[in-house]
Amino acid sequence: MESLYIYIWPVLIGVAYFAIITLLKKYTRFGYRFGFFLALALILLFLVFFWVIASQDTSGWIGLAMIIMSIFTGVILATYLLMWLTVYFAN
């Protein structure tokens, strides 16, 4: 159980991200699908950074940080998708 505490912050960030997208959807033409693609683009950005930096950095620490950030963002995206499915099936 103690090893799962690391996932509390990404889940809370995912819930906050979903709340922001929901507010934008309510007051603008912003949609849940665009919020999904925005988070997916962030994951792809981290992976591209990893690919470029890993080929130039010999120590590998920066590449490790990029992989950790990709996993962190992936948990945020998974939380966002879970919240989106919950709202979709609740309506």
Side-chain angles (χ1 to χ4, degrees):
M1 181 69 180
E2 293 172 358
S3 63
L4 295 177
Y5 287 142
I6 192 70
Y7 293 108
I8 290 175
W9 286 110
V11 168
L12 291 177
I13 292 170
V15 170
Y17 179 65
F18 182 78
I20 290 169
I21 297 297
T22 303
L23 285 175
L24 287 174
K25 183 181 182 310
K26 185 175 180 179
Y27 295 114
T28 63
R29 295 182 59 160
F30 206 81
Y32 290 124
R33 187 173 298 154
F34 185 73
F36 168 73
F37 288 124
L38 189 63
L40 189 63
L42 187 61
I43 292 173
L44 292 176
L45 182 71
F46 283 130
L47 290 177
V48 166
F49 282 161
F50 166 71
W51 184 57
V52 169
I53 291 173
S55 66
Q56 298 172 356
D57 183 31
T58 57
S59 67
W61 288 109
I62 296 174
L64 179 65
M66 291 297 166
I67 290 295
I68 290 171
M69 288 303 295
S70 296
I71 293 170
F72 189 81
T73 311
V75 172
I76 292 171
L77 180 64
T79 304
Y80 176 78
L81 287 174
L82 184 65
M83 299 287 290
W84 184 11
L85 286 174
T86 303
V87 167
Y88 178 75
F89 287 124
N91 290 333

